[in-house]
Amino acid sequence: MNAATVRHILDTLAGMFPDAHCELNHSNAFELTIAVLLSAQCTDATVNKVTVDLFQKYRTPQDYVSVPLEELEQDIRRIGLFRSKAKHIQNLCHILIEKYGGDVPSEHDLLVQLPGVGRKTANVVVSNAFGVPAFAVDTHVERVSKRLGLANWKDNVMEVERKLMKRVPRDEWTLSHHRFIFFGRYHCKAQNPACQVCPLLDICREGKKRMKTSLVVKNKKAAKPKSS
């Protein structure tokens, strides 16, 4: 894919979602880390419903380790995999207290060493909480990237991230990440994407395939003789 096409994609997404942002509610790096950890295999909307009360009850790492694990589990029980996530949160908070004075480290290499914090979570935290350019790849970013030809169908998450970082200007990584998510969440959905009104249909291999299939089905229905 040439630079002009990449620019066209970025500019189109910017026009569609100029105010794209992190939709996980948080007020600091610590809350963001907890929220992103909770969001694994769970929607941001559900996480936000849980953290409304969670972040009132637990404000520091010490607060999370001061309660029995079972109590924390009950506080996040609406979240998928809540038992393992509760354990990760308490273990993470112990490390923050013991090694970092209760603060979340701003270095990516240190973040990924924390329990429950993978590469995607670390990228979200460093970019949104500390202003370090990063391109976190979640399911929306991966789907959009592959449909638009920015990555190959068989690429793993790391390969998708590497290609996006190479093709997108570094100072646009974080904002582009948010715009890709908005585009995938509200327009280019996994099921029933809005291909018929998509401004990027001309370069989307998935969209062209879907529209072609839709046309074939429509023509078959039109050609089918009506029963008397």
Side-chain angles (χ1 to χ4, degrees), residues 145-147 149-153 155 159-160 163 167 205:
S145 299
K146 291 181 176 180
R147 285 180 174 177
L150 290 164
N152 296 326
W153 293 118
D155 286 347
E159 290 169 331
V160 173
K163 289 181 178 180
R167 289 172 169 156
R205 46 192 177 180

Side-chain angles (χ1 to χ4, degrees), residues 48-76:
N48 286 337
K49 290 177 182 177
V50 171
T51 56
V52 166
D53 295 324
L54 192 74
F55 291 163
Q56 288 296 316
K57 180 177 180 179
Y58 304 97
R59 297 180 180 275
T60 68
Q62 187 61 49
D63 293 335
Y64 283 97
V65 301
S66 297
V67 300
L69 178 61
E70 294 74 18
E71 182 175 343
L72 179 55
E73 289 177 350
Q74 286 304 303
D75 289 334
I76 63 170

